[in-house]
Amino acid sequence: MTDEREWTVADHLQDADPDAVRLWHRIDELIRSFGPVTHAVAKTTITFRGPRRGFAGARPVRTGVRGYFDLMRELPPDPRILGVSPYGRRLFVHQFRLADESEFDETVASWLREAYEVGCGAHLGR
């Protein structure tokens, strides 16, 4: 029998490390400041959806926050980026981990702003 229950943000946060939860809330607050955003919650992550599509996801883990974001380019090497994979013709999925709040800087904020543009449809071309 499969687990058919509906997952919530609270499910991901309830037993997580308090520092990781605070970091997740900072990420959530920043992403929501960009414009209309909703959460699509699954067992594996909390996805952030813009007006057109999901563009990022994050969840607290024992060692900080892990997640992903979609960009129209591949980022140069950075220790916070765990891996990059092409997604379709125009997108690259970047897997990331932030160990603590000191790693959540303006560079990460700029990546998330850029990903939000994908969530608004920037990757579709005009």
Side-chain angles (χ1 to χ4, degrees), residues 12-53:
H12 284 279
L13 304 182
Q14 73 182 16
D15 294 324
D17 177 82
D19 291 335
V21 171
R22 274 192 296 281
L23 178 54
W24 184 89
H25 279 296
R26 285 195 58 208
I27 293 166
D28 182 55
E29 182 178 310
L30 175 72
I31 289 174
R32 289 172 169 277
S33 76
F34 300 150
V37 172
T38 58
H39 293 139
V41 184
K43 185 176 184 178
T44 56
T45 199
I46 303 162
T47 296
F48 298 94
R49 292 186 54 82
R52 298 293 299 255
R53 70 184 299 278

Side-chain angles (χ1 to χ4, degrees), residues 4 7 30 55-56 124:
E4 298 292 330
W7 285 81
L30 175 72
F55 60 91
L124 300 174

Side-chain angles (χ1 to χ4, degrees), residues 20-119:
V21 171
R22 274 192 296 281
L23 178 54
W24 184 89
H25 279 296
R26 285 195 58 208
I27 293 166
D28 182 55
E29 182 178 310
L30 175 72
I31 289 174
R32 289 172 169 277
S33 76
F34 300 150
V37 172
T38 58
H39 293 139
V41 184
K43 185 176 184 178
T44 56
T45 199
I46 303 162
T47 296
F48 298 94
R49 292 186 54 82
R52 298 293 299 255
R53 70 184 299 278
F55 60 91
R59 66 185 170 88
V61 295
R62 187 177 49 82
T63 57
V65 171
R66 282 195 66 145
Y68 71 91
F69 53 85
D70 300 338
L71 299 180
M72 293 186 295
R73 64 188 177 103
E74 187 172 350
L75 291 174
D78 185 286
R80 296 167 290 195
I81 302 297
L82 304 176
V84 182
S85 303
Y87 183 78
R89 291 187 337 213
R90 294 188 171 161
L91 295 177
F92 293 88
V93 180
H94 294 73
Q95 302 290 328
F96 74 90
R97 181 181 61 86
L98 302 177
D100 58 44
E101 291 195 51
S102 72
E103 293 189 330
F104 183 56
D105 60 11
E106 184 52 42
T107 298
V108 174
S110 70
W111 297 337
L112 294 173
R113 271 189 215 100
E114 193 175 331
Y116 178 74
E117 294 303 316
V118 170

